[in-house]
Amino acid sequence: MRRTPFTTGWQFRPHANSFAEMHGAAQPWRDVVLPHDATLGQPRDAEHGPGAGYFPPTAVDYRAVLPVTGDDRDQVLALHFEGVYRSARVLVNGQLAATWSSGWTEAVVPLADHLRYDGTDEVRVLCRAGRDARWYAGAGIHRPVHLLRGPLVHLAADGVRVVTEELDGSRAVVSVASTVVHAGRGLASRTLRVRLVDHAGAVVAEAVSPVTVLPGEPAVVRQRLLVADPAPWSPTSPRLHTVEAVLLDGDVETDTETVTTGLRTLSLDPERGLRINGQTVLLRGACVHSDNGVLGSAAIGRADERRVELLAAAGFNALRSSHNPMSRAMLAACDRVGVLVMDELTDTWTHGKSIEDDAGHFADTWRSDVASMVRRGANHPSIVLWSIGNEIPEVSDPHGALWSRRLAEAVRAEDPTRFVTNGVNAMLAVIEEARGPQAAELGINTMLTDMGEFMDHLSATELVARRTEESFDVLDVAGMNYMEARYAIDRELFPRRVIVGSETFATKIDRLWRLVQDHPHVIGDFTWTGWDYLGEAGIGRVADSEDPAAGGFHGPFPWLLAWCGDLDITGHRRPASYYRETVFGLRTAPAIAVVRPERSGRTTVSTPWAWADSVADWAFTGAEGVPLTVEVYSDAEEVELLLGDRSMGTAPAGEAHRFRAEFTVPWAAEDLVAVARTGGAETGRTVLRPASGPVGLVATADRTVLRADDADLAFVALALTDAAGTVALGVDRQVTVTVEGAGTLAGLGSAAPATAESYLDAVHTTFDGRVLAIVRPTGAGTITVTATAEGCAPATVTVTAR
């Protein structure tokens, strides 16, 4: 079926019932371009809690006129929704056409029974988001919508499935299964032609098959293609192929479907780990939530693509979609960049975690939710693991084991070529016993003293081994959240078990990565988290010990962000990112992290997800003479730290010292230089410079040429710098942004973890000297972005949409 983007021509408003509409009490409709987050514009306050970032519940309606005419009467028409958050109802001309509960499940809604074909056919989408997630999920039509149009005999939506059956240096065997549907009357005969096209545009295999199909009885056409001298897909060489399926009636092409895929094979065992095309791959993984920071939950294609690019550049080769199926745009970016994916179904099964979450619907919808996830992602070579859940409390009881088996087998029925995992948290699985009479014999006093230590101790117990054995046994890979204490134990206790660290603390990555390297049955590590996110506000914060809110699990209002990502929400790398890159063996130059001057001499309290309150900068203002803690991350034997031309000392580094050398340095307006040495020979050096003189505002776009469509974006970084380009800290000020020409301001914000400012306003205060403007094209032409700040000359950047 032909797929046309249907993202423009929409309007939205807060939900209004028919009586409110009749009496004029409904709010006016406002134009909107999809994808859209309806929560982001709502007022925040302390009453609504930190989980959703202090945003309120949201109920919203959307409407649009369908681009359908009388010429479409003999066509099959449907709307494809990639994601609506949440509890969606679709009405066509006032009549209910579809409902579904999950905010992440895709839905194809047939239209023909409801249409008038007179140019006035209206679709409305009603949705609501309540207290239904433990983090910020937003609300509304947050992923793209497509209009599907095809003949009565057509290829089913997502109906072409490609599998690499065999692959070696000289040949590949690729099977293509295509589903043909007949929505008319009588027997129909067609011909199906399939071509496999390589990354260079050459047709490398072709097959032609006759197909006879009855109404209401889809026909699956299976074709096996032999490819000579194949170009395989791998993380280090992500070469993509396309499959072009064409349905013919005689010599006339009546329907087409094109899918992108990659030729690759997967294998798994506890001695050789995960292998792609026969080569062992260790997963340098990051968990990521689905929000796009300043854009909220709106899954605009370029935003998802940019996140993948920046995470890959920071050293990650794998992402875990936490805790919902990944967007199509992000999967396509992972395919292109060569980033592997653990795609995850849900955060809840039958036991709810939030008062209004999807647990009440799970028993009725789980089969369709599994099918939606797998069918959407089946052709993406980047996906190597399907995760059936995250920290599901019931996995430790017999009924939970039954659900584990049901889900795992349902995934395998949809896709037998990939592996199934589940992110299990020992603490949640046996929390009642751990808090009950057995606590003393388990040697556990209280989880609040040190949650990380508590999780380590608990996960290593016989209680956890026994209670999780069956749920782990139904999986191909045992996903362990904060359970690294089991890695070595299970090598002996469960020798068939393959493990992945599906969620881990960032501060432990040096020890965790050593476990991955030393234990072949442990295939990788996924840190919490790779990219900072909205909601779970303040779980990564550092507080002064005298702060009344110190020691709490969340930050008080106006905290907005979790503040625990390797990269902040604007895509700027934080010190933890450079440390991880060093541990992974991907970085030779030393990395410098400086604890903020306001923390000097103070006792701090933090959660297990927090990094030190440090920055990779030396350009402080008003810090003259303040003694600062400086950490240098390096894999070298030792590091010398210089302030100007004066040595501040030499300290050991490398793995034996957790890749860290620590110094105390009084701040001065001189260069701070770290020199790494092994065996007396320099292996790298890094310089941080102070800011000098007045600061100005600088604007830099990530790209100067965009596509003239609403799935593309320009990311304009705005920074307060000195004349040499050094970003100055401690001089933050409000920045005002205007956009002229063929674009609009889609969002403006900084990485500030606690702020009462809105990302939808045209004015925002910098954080650590930076703020990010996101611009969305409205058509072809020139887009001029101008930023102003007090005491600075205006900064302008121009991009072109083509």
Side-chain angles (χ1 to χ4, degrees):
M1 297 181 75
R2 298 191 304 280
R3 180 182 299 268
T4 305
F6 186 33
T7 53
T8 58
W10 289 84
Q11 296 179 312
F12 84 105
R13 70 179 181 189
H15 175 64
N17 61 42
S18 299
F19 296 102
E21 207 163 4
M22 184 184 306
H23 294 287
Q27 292 191 32
W29 292 95
R30 288 181 285 167
D31 294 341
V32 67
V33 178
L34 305 180
H36 173 244
D37 180 1
T39 294
L40 205 59
Q42 300 298 309
R44 300 167 61 227
D45 62 59
E47 293 183 8
H48 295 298
Y54 299 100
F55 279 98
T58 305
V60 64
D61 301 344
Y62 293 83
R63 72 178 183 183
V65 175
L66 291 162
V68 174
T69 68
D71 294 339
D72 295 307
R73 286 185 182 276
D74 294 329
Q75 297 286 298
V76 174
L77 297 166
L79 284 178
H80 172 211
F81 293 89
E82 291 191 28
V84 180
Y85 202 88
R86 182 180 167 268
S87 299
R89 288 183 292 154
V90 178
L91 286 74
V92 180
N93 291 327
Q95 303 304 309
L96 185 66
T99 65
W100 66 100
S101 172
S102 169
W104 314 105
T105 300
E106 296 197 343
V108 175
V109 180
L111 298 175
D113 291 344
H114 306 283
L115 297 176
R116 297 187 293 257
Y117 301 101
D118 62 358
T120 67
D121 292 300
E122 182 188 68
V123 58
R124 289 203 183 192
V125 179
L126 288 61
C127 53
R128 61 170 177 80
R131 292 171 291 175
D132 50 22
R134 297 182 297 116
W135 58 92
Y136 181 91
I141 307 178
H142 64 103
R143 289 183 175 175
V145 180
H146 310 269
L147 179 63
L148 305 182
R149 182 185 273 112
L152 296 178
V153 180
H154 60 273
L155 289 159
D158 291 327
V160 178
R161 182 77 63 91
V162 187
V163 174
T164 305
E165 295 184 349
E166 183 181 338
L167 178 66
D168 59 31
S170 61
R171 67 178 183 178
V173 178
V174 179
S175 67
V176 181
S178 306
T179 300
V180 181
V181 178
H182 187 359
R185 292 183 175 183
L187 198 69
S189 296
R190 298 289 188 271
T191 301
L192 180 68
R193 183 184 70 217
V194 165
R195 288 172 175 164
L196 182 65
V197 181
D198 69 11
H199 62 288
V203 177
V204 295
E206 182 175 354
V208 178
S209 299
V211 53
T212 301
V213 57
L214 282 169
E217 186 179 323
V220 179
V221 182
R222 300 186 185 276
Q223 298 163 308
R224 187 169 282 106
L225 308 176
L226 184 64
V227 183
D229 299 320
W233 184 98
S234 72
T236 56
S237 182
R239 293 175 288 194
L240 294 170
H241 286 63
T242 56
V243 171
E244 300 171 353
V246 178
L247 202 60
L248 299 108
D249 186 359
D251 295 328
V252 179
E253 295 185 3
T254 59
D255 198 20
T256 63
E257 183 79 14
T258 301
V259 300
T260 302
T261 191
L263 310 187
R264 62 107 179 93
T265 59
L266 301 175
S267 53
L268 181 76
D269 66 65
E271 294 297 331
R272 293 169 294 181
L274 173 67
R275 288 177 294 151
I276 299 176
N277 306 330
Q279 301 297 314
T280 297
V281 176
L282 298 181
L283 302 176
R284 305 189 304 270
C287 299
V288 290
H289 269 317
S290 64
D291 76 76
N292 273 310
V294 173
L295 297 171
S297 64
I300 300 173
R302 173 57 189 160
D304 282 344
E305 178 184 57
R306 175 177 176 266
R307 277 207 293 163
V308 172
E309 291 171 350
L310 293 178
L311 286 162
F316 293 109
N317 71 351
L319 300 179
R320 174 191 181 212
S321 62
S322 315
H323 306 288
N324 48 260
M326 191 175 279
S327 74
R328 290 188 179 228
M330 202 166 200
L331 287 173
C334 288
D335 292 344
R336 182 180 60 79
V337 176
V339 172
L340 302 173
V341 173
M342 178 194 296
D343 208 12
E344 193 153 88
L345 180 67
T346 182
D347 189 48
T348 56
W349 292 353
T350 60
H351 292 193
K353 297 177 181 177
S354 303
I355 192 169
E356 297 173 346
D357 65 21
D358 213 37
H361 301 275
F362 182 80
D364 299 321
T365 65
W366 67 275
R367 289 186 185 276
S368 60
D369 289 350
V370 165
S372 170
M373 176 182 74
V374 177
R375 290 171 186 169
R376 184 212 70 247
N379 291 320
H380 290 280
S382 55
I383 299 177
V384 295
L385 291 164
W386 298 115
S387 172
I388 57 176
N390 171 69
E391 297 185 345
I392 305 298
E394 55 263 49
V395 296
S396 60
D397 62 46
H399 285 281
L402 286 171
W403 275 112
S404 298
R405 196 177 302 277
R406 287 185 191 120
L407 286 157
E409 290 307 313
V411 171
R412 292 177 181 124
E414 290 284 344
D415 179 12
T417 70
R418 293 176 174 89
F419 306 114
V420 180
T421 187
N422 187 6
V424 174
N425 184 312
M427 182 178 73
L428 292 180
V430 298
I431 190 65
E432 293 306 318
E433 291 93 332
R435 291 191 303 202
Q438 294 187 53
E441 65 184 77
L442 290 170
I444 298 165
N445 297 319
T446 171
M447 133 179 125
L448 296 178
T449 303
D450 186 329
M451 186 182 291
E453 184 179 341
F454 173 85
M455 289 180 172
D456 269 353
H457 192 107
L458 182 63
S459 64
T461 62
E462 186 275 337
L463 171 67
V464 167
R466 172 168 40 85
R467 292 286 299 278
T468 60
E469 181 177 4
E470 184 176 0
S471 287
F472 275 143
D473 196 61
V474 306
L475 305 170
D476 302 303
V477 180
M480 296 190 175
N481 289 14
Y482 313 106
M483 291 178 65
E484 64 270 15
R486 292 222 63 86
Y487 293 2
I489 297 171
D490 285 0
R491 181 68 171 158
E492 303 299 325
L493 195 59
F494 303 104
R496 293 186 296 108
R497 182 172 289 177
V498 177
I499 293 171
V500 65
S502 41
E503 191 168 314
T504 63
F505 292 123
T507 53
K508 294 184 176 183
I509 184 57
D510 59 320
R511 295 167 179 171
L512 294 165
W513 196 244
R514 175 46 56 197
L515 289 172
V516 172
Q517 292 175 298
D518 288 349
H519 294 88
H521 69 295
V522 182
I523 63 173
D525 177 273
F526 287 81
T527 189
W528 193 266
T529 178
W531 193 284
D532 198 15
Y533 58 96
L534 305 178
E536 291 191 305
I539 69 163
R541 77 188 185 114
V542 176
D544 289 339
S545 57
E546 61 267 30
D547 184 338
F553 191 74
H554 292 106
F557 182 82
W559 270 80
L560 173 59
L561 306 181
W563 199 233
C564 62
D566 275 27
L567 280 70
D568 68 30
I569 65 162
T570 70
H572 184 67
R573 293 179 68 178
R574 300 175 66 201
S577 176
Y578 299 109
Y579 180 74
R580 185 180 312 278
E581 189 180 30
T582 301
V583 170
F584 283 156
L586 302 175
R587 180 185 182 90
T588 56
I592 305 173
V594 184
V595 176
R596 297 176 185 274
E598 53 265 36
R599 301 291 185 199
S600 179
R602 306 183 74 85
T603 302
T604 59
V605 177
S606 58
T607 73
W609 291 275
W611 199 259
D613 191 9
S614 58
V615 292
D617 288 285
W618 190 245
F620 303 110
T621 299
E624 191 70 43
V626 176
L628 303 182
T629 298
V630 177
E631 288 188 327
V632 181
Y633 310 141
S634 177
D635 62 356
E637 290 177 356
E638 64 180 19
V639 172
E640 183 180 14
L641 193 65
L642 307 172
L643 183 61
D645 57 3
R646 305 184 308 282
S647 176
M648 297 290 103
T650 299
E655 186 173 7
H657 297 274
R658 303 199 66 188
F659 300 97
R660 300 171 188 251
E662 186 173 309
F663 306 85
T664 300
V665 181
W667 190 87
E670 300 178 79
D671 289 354
L672 187 69
V673 184
V675 182
R677 298 186 182 94
T678 294
E682 181 176 326
T683 59
R685 67 172 56 206
T686 297
V687 180
L688 296 183
R689 293 187 166 86
S692 177
V695 298
L697 187 60
V698 175
T700 308
D702 65 329
R703 294 173 303 147
T704 58
V705 178
L706 312 179
R707 298 186 314 275
D709 66 55
D710 53 49
D712 208 352
L713 297 165
F715 289 81
V716 180
L718 303 166
L720 298 168
T721 76
D722 66 9
T726 301
V727 177
L729 280 65
V731 295
D732 288 314
R733 58 197 70 180
Q734 286 189 331
V735 174
T736 301
V737 174
T738 59
V739 178
E740 297 176 317
T744 185
L745 184 64
L748 175 68
S750 76
T755 178
E757 295 180 303
S758 171
Y759 298 143
L760 299 183
D761 290 341
V763 181
H764 205 94
T765 304
T766 60
F767 176 74
D768 288 341
R770 297 178 174 89
V771 70
L772 179 71
I774 305 176
V775 177
R776 195 174 191 181
T778 56
T782 298
I783 306 170
T784 302
V785 182
T786 303
T788 58
E790 184 179 354
C792 301
T796 299
V797 66
T798 299
V799 297
T800 302
R802 295 178 181 169

